[in-house]
Amino acid sequence: MLASSEMQIRRTAGSRPIGQTGSSSTGISASPIGNDKRKHESILYSDAAVRFNENSLEQCRTSVSALSGCVAGIIGLTSYKGFLFYGFSMFLLSVLIFMFIRHEHRKFFTGLNHVFVNGFFNGLLTYVLFWTFLYGMVHVY
């Protein structure tokens, strides 16, 4: 649902509207008090802020792809070792960003997959470009 042109409302999975209570398998009804209240709150996202955060993450991935491609070319990685190095560097970047935002990814992204999965292959061509260029400059010529 769109509340306005910039705000998007998203409910957590499996939540019911506020004020409704349900019964569990034991017959005890759940109330929206205490810890159960969290399930019923809506999460608001600013579309512009989420786009800005994803753009910043994409710029970080591109920069790290170029830097790790330079490192892989200079140290002379070839074949699958070079591609494993790319995977390791992208995973390390994702872990560092996840640690930097202190496990509060919901404040910055709509899902955790934006930190770990999205844009993983976008920097691959940049990586291969710098990898092969510097490998050729250092080890061939």
Side-chain angles (χ1 to χ4, degrees):
M1 289 188 251
L2 290 176
S4 70
S5 62
E6 290 189 13
M7 300 296 278
Q8 180 179 7
I9 299 174
R10 191 180 111 183
R11 295 193 181 273
T12 56
S15 66
R16 294 178 300 272
I18 297 175
Q20 287 186 357
T21 59
S23 60
S24 61
S25 61
T26 59
I28 301 171
S29 64
S31 66
I33 299 173
N35 293 338
D36 199 33
K37 187 176 181 180
R38 238 187 218 174
K39 293 181 182 178
H40 300 291
E41 294 177 359
S42 296
I43 301 172
L44 298 175
Y45 292 106
S46 170
D47 191 40
V50 169
R51 275 188 274 132
F52 177 79
N53 291 339
E54 289 176 356
N55 187 29
S56 298
L57 183 63
E58 186 65 31
Q59 289 175 353
C60 286
R61 287 193 186 278
T62 303
S63 300
V64 169
S65 295
L67 182 65
S68 61
C70 290
V71 170
I74 290 171
I75 64 175
L77 295 178
T78 57
S79 184
Y80 69 90
K81 292 178 185 177
F83 289 107
L84 289 177
F85 185 72
Y86 173 74
F88 172 74
S89 63
M90 288 295 107
F91 180 72
L92 182 65
L93 173 67
S94 298
V95 168
L96 289 175
I97 289 173
F98 185 69
M99 288 172 49
F100 181 74
I101 61 177
R102 295 185 194 102
H103 307 287
E104 297 174 351
H105 59 87
R106 296 250 181 224
K107 287 185 178 180
F108 304 103
F109 303 101
T110 56
L112 190 58
N113 65 341
H114 288 272
V115 177
F116 285 98
V117 178
N118 288 1
F120 184 81
F121 292 108
N122 291 348
L124 186 60
L125 293 176
T126 304
Y127 173 80
V128 170
L129 174 73
F130 281 91
W131 178 26
T132 55
F133 176 71
L134 279 154
Y135 182 85
M137 293 299 290
V138 172
H139 298 283
V140 175
Y141 296 113

